[in-house]
Amino acid sequence: QLATRQYPRLRLGIGRRAGDDRQITDYVLGRFTAGERAMVEEVLARAGQQVECWCSAGIKEAMNQFNGAVTAPPTKGNL
């Protein structure tokens, strides 16, 4: 509707599976694996923190602090 991509936005990445052949529709629309479900909470918490930083310190500071991959939270098996 805006007819432009020139606006700030917060985007969440989807990651990639090993050997991905770029056919990602089923991957994006599929269910989360158990490992991915464990990360959803962390990703959403981080996105909320980024929005707060964006509003208080500006988009450049938010990008500097938060851009990059989110690591999986520790589980019983990988403590």
Side-chain angles (χ1 to χ4, degrees):
Q1 297 296 324
L2 297 177
T4 183
R5 298 185 88 183
Q6 301 301 311
Y7 56 91
R9 61 197 180 276
L10 174 63
R11 298 171 62 182
L12 303 176
I14 62 167
R16 292 280 184 204
R17 291 188 290 189
D20 189 1
D21 62 357
R22 306 292 290 172
Q23 300 297 322
I24 61 172
T25 302
D26 289 338
Y27 179 60
V28 171
L29 299 176
R31 295 187 183 274
F32 291 120
T33 65
E36 291 167 335
R37 282 193 302 269
M39 288 188 67
V40 168
E41 191 171 319
E42 178 64 26
V43 168
L44 293 177
R46 185 176 170 121
Q49 293 168 355
Q50 185 171 5
V51 168
E52 289 176 6
C53 180
W54 186 347
C55 291
S56 64
I59 191 170
K60 287 183 182 180
E61 182 64 26
M63 288 171 34
N64 288 335
Q65 284 188 34
F66 292 93
N67 281 4
V70 174
T71 56
T75 62
K76 291 178 184 175
N78 68 2
L79 285 176

